[in-house]
Amino acid sequence: RYQQKTMKSAGLKKNKLSIREVDPKANIQTGPGLPSWRWNEVNLSWSGPVEKGERLSLLLISPTLNMLLNFLRVFLVLILAWRLLSQIGKNFSNGFKNLTKSQFASANVAIAILCLPLLFMSMDKANAEVMKQDLPSPDMLTQLRERLLAPADCLPDCAQIERLSLQIGTDSLQGRMRVHAAEKTAIPLPGNAKRWLPDLVLLDGVPAESLSRNSKGELWLGLEKGSHDVFLQGALPKSAQLQLSLPLKPHYVEWFSDAWSVDGVQDNGVPSSQLQLNRVLNKQVAGQELMADQGNTLLPAFLSVERTLHLGLDWTVETVVHRLSPNGNPIVMSIPLLEGESVLTDNLTVKNNAVRVGLSANQKDMHWRSRLAIKDAFVLKASDQLGFVETWKVAVSPIWHMQTKGIPVVHHQENDGTWLPTWKPWAGESVSFSVSRPKGVDGQTMTISSSRLNVTMGKRSNDVMLNFTLRSSQGAQHSLRLPMNAQLRSFSINGKKQTVRQNGDKVTFPVSPGEQQLRLEWREPHSSAVLFKVPEVDLGLASVNSQIHLALPQDRWVLWAGGPQLGPAVLFWGVLIVILIASIILGRSKLAPVKTWQWFLLGVGLSQSEPLLMLVMVAWLLLLASREKVIDKLSRVQFNVMQIALGLLTLVALAVLFGAVANGLLGQPDMQISGNNSYGNSLNWFQDRSASVLAQPWVISVPLLVYRLLMLLWALWLAFTLLGWLRWGWERLSVGGLWREKSAKVTKKK
């Protein structure tokens, strides 16, 4: 909140910004836009040294070949599962009692492999829970920190001194200030520790507590938000002159004194940054002080004149005069102006094309700002006048091309990377400048860097919202086309609503230079159909990073979707193919009295709850079918344990079927939609580069009632079929008895 440094550097910053100003008549190209691609990163490493001439070759496969390999992987996994099931069935038929250690280990491995999908499913759910807990994100934390630590909007002008009234006595100085603060801040008080500081500071009639002194000897006062009255009082030194610095210049200064005169205040009350107080002395005191001053050895006045030329849309000169000779004596000198230079700073005396420079006894520098006439060529020549040396700096805008001839440059570039050639000439030396303005190359002056189209389907109409970022280098009018019969409801630029007219399907709006966020909302009628296509939207020019979001009602059953490659995929049909192949394998294996089409229908119904639960049904039916083959080889304890396990497995299987029926009749269909953050009835597409007309994804869907009827038919089929499976299962479970008693085992041994 320190305002003094900001005020000193305000002029330099302003000039730097003027160099970067864009010519309003120039066609600055905005470029075609860059897509925000996301790549798969692969890390490669070598354990040994790599020679310079060695080459690296990568073998990449196409998406089609990758899909074929995925089908091959699934087919091989099914063959492996079939072989494992066959091995388990053979072990059941031979009995576990006569198995060798290697055969028993093989059976355990087979069961473990069949259980791996369940393990991976639980791990995925655990990972999903961990990812949900990873909030808030680092980007959100960074944004919150920036908002919390953002500086006040009023800086560097959070406080201003409206009025300063000075009452100067013979030995004391009193000042009253009226200060206005827009925020809680601190201001520097008049004076300096080397010359004068107040002994008493009152804030609103109360002794001030928030006072501090910096390394320069300035006294700072902390202020709360609002208006304040500040009273200063301090003793004056016994000297003929006093420099009273004003780090924060008041808007108006008035003074009252019979013992002192004040220089540095204009007739309208506007002060300079420093006031000169001159004591009105009697003859006795004045004589003593004059004799003390005559004993000092004075050096001739010497100055440094630094001229900085800013060649932008307008040519300006910033001239800073520095004192090189010691303080203690005022300096008055005429500094010649450049050819074509017109002084813009007020309160300066210009005579005979020279500025009259006056520095008080302890004033170190002063500066002024001028306008320079724009020319194709000009010359800077160092003056032969004694008493000062010159330094030339030239800051050139990119709209100009400059060539120089004369003495060499002593400095080219600033620490911040700014190109600022500098010359330090001797008297009479010169530099010739040749300046030309290159012509710009025609190109694209408007770019759409991103867009997002949100379509929310309704029963009779769609609500559509379009957000896009438009970057332009000049003000213009731009038009886009909406779908036919679209009714524009809202239009805003950078969050502020605008009034625009819709002429049929055409919407025209103003574009300002710079980047702007635009948002349109409209409604369009539609009729419910099996095939829905996103309406056509023409942005008026090509764009990048196009995102399309389609939200379907909950009473629609999504069957298939298509559009840009980076979008949703309905994986259910691939699962259906896997279920069909598995059903054929299980039906041909004849391990259980279940036909191929029955396996298929059972898998289709269970896929809507959890496809991996079908393994429970397969295990239940296969174990019941293999029970009769092993009961004669089991002991009483093994037999009873097997009966208990089969009974519990039967209950689990019935619970799985009951849950599948309830989920199918009451829940939502699970088509296993994924890709680009898509799920359920929320579909997202992304296209890196688009023509003026955005992509039009499509989706095939039917009413949810169709799914309910199909699941009802499946539930009825399952009810009738399950009765037969339970009857058959009871027969298999009761073969050889339901339970073996101990006495029956002893009688058998006798």
Side-chain angles (χ1 to χ4, degrees):
R1 297 176 181 270
Y2 295 121
Q3 301 181 18
Q4 186 179 20
K5 294 182 179 179
T6 307
M7 290 187 293
K8 288 183 178 180
S9 59
L12 182 58
K13 289 183 178 179
K14 182 177 180 180
N15 288 324
K16 287 186 176 180
L17 292 176
S18 65
I19 295 300
R20 301 172 185 173
E21 287 180 351
V22 178
D23 186 357
K25 298 181 180 180
N27 293 329
I28 306 300
Q29 299 183 18
T30 56
L34 297 177
S36 56
W37 289 305
R38 297 180 181 177
W39 304 99
N40 294 326
E41 181 178 345
V42 179
N43 296 322
L44 304 177
S45 61
W46 289 264
S47 59
V50 179
E51 297 295 335
K52 181 178 179 180
E54 294 185 3
R55 301 261 180 200
L56 174 66
S57 299
L58 299 177
L59 179 61
L60 305 177
I61 62 175
S62 63
T64 303
L65 182 58
N66 187 43
M67 182 181 64
L68 295 177
L69 290 177
N70 288 334
F71 277 110
L72 181 60
R73 294 188 191 101
V74 173
F75 180 71
L76 294 177
V77 169
L78 292 175
I79 293 178
L80 176 61
W82 177 72
R83 293 291 298 170
L84 293 174
L85 291 175
S86 300
Q87 182 66 27
I88 293 174
K90 186 183 296 184
N91 292 335
F92 270 109
S93 62
N94 295 332
F96 285 98
K97 186 174 181 180
N98 298 326
L99 289 179
T100 62
K101 290 184 178 180
S102 60
Q103 292 174 339
F104 190 75
S106 300
N108 290 336
V109 170
I111 296 174
I113 292 177
L114 291 177
C115 294
L116 280 178
L118 294 175
L119 177 61
F120 290 147
M121 180 181 64
S122 62
M123 291 176 61
D124 291 340
K125 292 182 178 180
N127 292 334
E129 293 296 330
V130 173
M131 293 179 64
K132 290 181 180 179
Q133 296 175 2
D134 189 17
L135 290 175
S137 63
D139 294 338
M140 183 181 298
L141 291 176
T142 302
Q143 184 178 5
L144 292 176
R145 182 170 61 254
E146 290 177 354
R147 291 181 180 178
L148 183 62
L149 301 179
D153 296 334
C154 61
L155 287 176
D157 300 319
C158 287
Q160 296 289 332
I161 301 177
E162 175 188 350
R163 188 184 188 93
L164 172 61
S165 179
L166 297 176
Q167 186 71 34
I168 311 174
T170 304
D171 299 323
S172 66
L173 171 65
Q174 294 180 353
R176 295 183 182 274
M177 296 191 303
R178 183 64 176 174
V179 185
H180 302 279
E183 292 289 342
K184 183 178 180 181
T185 184
I187 63 170
L189 298 179
N192 188 281
K194 297 180 180 179
R195 299 179 182 89
W196 179 87
L197 280 180
D199 301 327
L200 175 64
V201 178
L202 300 180
L203 177 61
D204 296 328
V206 180
E209 297 180 356
S210 56
L211 290 172
S212 64
R213 185 187 298 179
N214 61 11
S215 59
K216 296 182 178 180
E218 297 173 344
L219 192 63
W220 287 73
L221 172 63
L223 299 176
E224 297 292 337
K225 181 179 179 181
S227 299
H228 304 277
D229 291 321
V230 180
F231 175 78
L232 310 174
Q233 180 176 339
L236 291 174
K238 294 183 178 181
S239 60
Q241 295 180 344
L242 174 65
Q243 303 291 334
L244 182 63
S245 60
L246 301 177
L248 182 59
K249 289 175 56 177
H251 291 278
Y252 181 82
V253 173
E254 60 180 359
W255 62 277
F256 306 94
S257 179
D258 295 331
W260 296 79
S261 64
V262 179
D263 295 333
V265 180
Q266 302 179 21
D267 296 337
N268 57 1
V270 177
S272 60
S273 59
Q274 185 169 264
L275 302 182
Q276 177 80 22
L277 277 66
N278 302 308
R279 186 188 294 269
V280 180
L281 304 174
N282 54 44
K283 295 182 178 180
Q284 181 179 0
V285 177
Q288 294 176 357
E289 294 187 355
L290 289 175
M291 289 178 60
D293 290 339
Q294 290 175 357
N296 295 334
T297 302
L298 302 179
L299 296 176
F302 200 73
L303 302 176
S304 169
V305 179
E306 181 181 294
R307 308 180 194 265
T308 304
L309 281 67
H310 300 273
L311 308 185
L313 295 178
D314 297 323
W315 287 14
T316 59
V317 181
E318 191 79 17
T319 304
V320 180
V321 178
H322 298 277
R323 176 196 291 267
L324 297 181
S325 56
N327 294 342
N329 294 283
I331 298 177
V332 178
M333 188 178 299
S334 295
I335 304 298
L337 298 176
L338 300 178
E339 183 180 356
E341 180 180 358
S342 301
V343 178
L344 301 177
T345 304
D346 298 333
N347 304 321
L348 289 180
T349 302
V350 180
K351 187 176 182 181
N352 297 328
N353 200 32
V355 175
R356 189 73 170 175
V357 174
L359 298 179
S360 58
N362 294 315
Q363 185 177 355
K364 294 184 178 180
D365 51 46
M366 68 171 296
H367 74 281
W368 67 85
R369 189 167 180 265
S370 309
R371 185 181 299 276
L372 193 64
I374 299 178
K375 299 179 180 180
D376 295 335
F378 63 93
V379 178
L380 295 181
K381 185 176 181 180
S383 174
D384 296 332
Q385 179 180 337
L386 300 178
F388 66 89
V389 292
E390 294 188 58
T391 301
W392 302 329
K393 298 181 180 180
V394 180
V396 185
S397 171
I399 65 176
W400 300 102
H401 175 67
M402 183 183 71
Q403 293 180 335
T404 62
K405 183 179 180 181
I407 61 176
V409 178
V410 297
H411 181 72
H412 291 277
Q413 195 172 9
E414 296 291 288
N415 294 330
D416 59 355
T418 304
W419 187 257
L420 191 66
T422 303
W423 293 266
K424 290 184 176 295
W426 288 4
E429 293 183 335
S430 63
V431 177
S432 300
F433 294 85
S434 177
V435 183
S436 60
R437 189 165 186 173
K439 294 183 178 180
V441 179
D442 294 335
Q444 183 175 340
T445 60
M446 194 178 298
T447 300
I448 297 179
S449 56
S450 65
S451 65
R452 181 174 178 83
L453 183 67
N454 292 323
V455 182
T456 303
M457 283 185 58
K459 293 184 177 181
R460 296 179 179 85
S461 62
N462 299 330
D463 287 335
V464 186
M465 181 174 62
L466 173 64
N467 292 276
F468 63 98
T469 302
L470 180 64
R471 188 173 66 251
S472 177
S473 62
Q474 49 185 219
Q477 295 282 330
H478 185 69
S479 300
L480 56 83
R481 294 187 179 275
L482 304 181
M484 297 299 297
N485 301 324
Q487 301 175 358
L488 184 64
R489 303 176 61 188
S490 174
F491 179 86
S492 62
I493 300 178
N494 294 330
K496 297 181 179 179
K497 290 190 176 181
Q498 306 289 335
T499 302
V500 296
R501 295 187 59 184
Q502 180 182 1
N503 186 10
D505 61 345
K506 186 178 180 180
V507 177
T508 303
F509 54 90
V511 177
S512 303
E515 184 176 275
Q516 45 239 299
Q517 305 288 334
L518 297 102
R519 177 173 178 173
L520 293 88
E521 297 181 14
W522 69 87
R523 178 171 291 176
E524 55 187 17
H526 85 95
S527 58
S528 299
V530 176
L531 176 63
F532 174 79
K533 193 174 184 180
V534 173
E536 178 180 319
V537 178
D538 188 354
L539 297 181
L541 67 156
S543 62
V544 295
N545 302 322
S546 173
Q547 301 182 46
I548 300 176
H549 172 71
L550 175 60
L552 283 80
Q554 294 297 323
D555 60 352
R556 301 295 296 182
W557 181 20
V558 179
L559 301 179
W560 196 261
Q565 291 186 356
L566 188 55
V570 184
L571 303 180
F572 172 75
W573 304 111
V575 175
L576 196 64
I577 295 175
V578 174
I579 293 175
L580 177 61
I581 297 174
S583 301
I584 295 174
I585 294 175
L586 291 173
R588 296 291 181 87
S589 65
K590 297 181 180 181
L591 297 177
V594 182
K595 298 180 181 179
T596 300
W597 64 273
Q598 292 177 326
W599 283 116
F600 180 72
L601 289 180
L602 181 63
V604 170
L606 293 176
S607 66
Q608 293 304 303
S609 55
E610 183 57 58
L612 295 178
L613 292 179
M614 189 175 179
L615 296 177
V616 178
M617 299 300 302
V618 172
W620 177 55
L621 294 173
L622 293 182
L623 290 175
L624 286 177
S626 304
R627 175 186 176 280
E628 187 177 358
K629 300 178 182 179
V630 301
I631 56 177
D632 295 335
K633 302 178 181 180
L634 298 178
S635 64
R636 181 184 66 84
V637 176
Q638 292 175 340
F639 178 83
N640 292 337
V641 172
M642 180 188 68
Q643 291 292 96
I644 295 174
L646 289 176
L648 294 176
L649 185 59
T650 301
L651 295 178
V652 173
L654 293 177
V656 169
L657 293 177
F658 178 78
V661 171
N663 185 70
L665 296 177
L666 303 177
Q668 295 291 328
D670 184 11
M671 300 301 289
Q672 302 186 27
I673 298 176
S674 65
N676 196 28
N677 298 323
S678 301
Y679 60 92
N681 287 10
S682 179
L683 309 178
N684 297 286
W685 288 269
F686 175 81
Q687 192 164 6
D688 53 355
R689 297 187 182 274
S690 304
S692 60
V693 178
L694 297 179
Q696 295 179 263
W698 52 269
V699 61
I700 297 177
S701 65
V702 295
L704 191 61
L705 182 61
V706 176
Y707 171 77
R708 296 278 189 258
L709 293 176
L710 291 177
M711 291 305 299
L712 178 60
L713 294 176
W714 179 81
L716 294 176
W717 166 82
L718 181 63
F720 287 108
T721 306
L722 185 60
L723 292 176
W725 288 349
L726 291 175
R727 187 183 306 109
W728 167 82
W730 177 257
E731 293 176 356
R732 300 278 74 77
L733 190 63
S734 60
V735 172
L738 295 175
W739 191 263
R740 288 184 181 179
E741 299 292 342
K742 186 175 181 180
S743 58
K745 183 176 180 181
V746 174
T747 304
K748 184 177 181 181
K749 288 183 178 181
K750 290 181 178 180

